[in-house]
Amino acid sequence: KGDSIEAGRRFINACWFCADHAGPVVEALDSYSRAWNKTTMQWMSTPAKNGSDHFADTVQGAAMALRPDVIYRRDQALGKRKGSHWSS
């Protein structure tokens, strides 16, 4: 989990968010925080369950799936094409 959190942080730093289209995502990521334990008066290592943790998990998943060191050419990803590029 620690690796995915760090990957998510690096992913966010490399992203540009459009305020018109990604406003709710930015607000959710801004409100992401750790849970507070009232008994021990300490921050816990788990996220607060306020809905923003779902957005953060999505960003972490995207960051873990991203492989910037691998660049696929279209014919490698889709296989050999028949015909011209206009027909695909």
Side-chain angles (χ1 to χ4, degrees):
K1 184 73 176 177
D3 290 340
S4 67
I5 291 171
E6 186 59 33
R9 288 178 180 154
R10 283 186 272 125
F11 181 73
I12 289 172
N13 287 335
C15 290
W16 176 84
F17 294 97
C18 175
D20 296 334
H21 300 288
V25 174
V26 173
E27 289 177 19
L29 292 175
D30 281 343
S31 65
Y32 181 80
S33 64
R34 293 184 289 170
W36 178 254
N37 187 333
K38 293 179 184 177
T39 306
T40 61
M41 303 296 283
Q42 295 180 12
W43 291 106
M44 297 173 23
S45 61
T46 58
K49 300 295 182 186
N50 58 5
S52 63
D53 56 322
H54 299 295
F55 285 94
D57 288 341
T58 302
V59 169
Q60 290 174 9
M64 292 300 287
L66 180 68
R67 295 184 57 194
D69 56 331
V70 178
I71 299 173
Y72 294 102
R73 291 190 345 231
R74 183 177 174 162
D75 60 342
Q76 288 175 331
L78 301 176
K80 294 291 182 184
R81 293 178 289 163
K82 296 180 181 177
S84 70
H85 66 284
W86 297 104
S87 64
S88 57

